[in-house]
Amino acid sequence: MNIWSLVLEDSIEFPGSNGERIHMQVMRDMTQSQASGTLVNFNVSHHLKKPDMYGNGAPMTLLVFLQDTATQRVIQSRKQIIF
């Protein structure tokens, strides 16, 4: 089982090549590790970087999801607002 953690930032103003100026759920950092222990009880520790402009009003979220390594299917996910 893989455990993924991502830092996402919303409402980023940037003129994209597709003409869009506001971008949502922009991935700022991501890390992954293998689950150790049983599926009932395991610990994970991920270190993620925050964007340089963190705290300047753009909504930020943390997304964590579990992925089956054999099928690559996402089993469960959780999204938490962190700012």
Side-chain angles (χ1 to χ4, degrees):
M1 183 100 49
N2 286 324
I3 303 169
W4 294 87
S5 296
L6 298 87
V7 173
L8 306 171
E9 190 173 6
D10 284 344
S11 304
I12 304 299
E13 291 189 43
F14 182 81
S17 60
N18 61 355
E20 294 291 327
R21 295 192 60 79
I22 302 290
H23 304 278
M24 305 301 283
Q25 298 186 2
V26 176
M27 185 175 58
R28 293 302 192 180
D29 197 16
M30 175 176 73
T31 189
Q32 173 268 336
S33 63
Q34 291 278 323
S36 59
T38 67
L39 291 180
V40 175
N41 186 17
F42 61 89
N43 293 316
V44 63
S45 178
H46 285 168
H47 299 277
L48 297 162
K49 294 179 281 185
K50 64 178 183 171
D52 292 338
M53 300 302 287
Y54 179 77
N56 287 349
M60 306 267 318
T61 55
L62 174 67
L63 174 65
V64 178
F65 65 91
L66 302 175
Q67 181 185 38
D68 185 310
T69 53
T71 65
Q72 302 300 309
R73 293 182 66 192
V74 173
I75 298 168
Q76 184 63 273
S77 66
R78 168 71 185 195
K79 191 174 180 182
Q80 179 67 44
I81 296 171
I82 55 177
F83 175 75

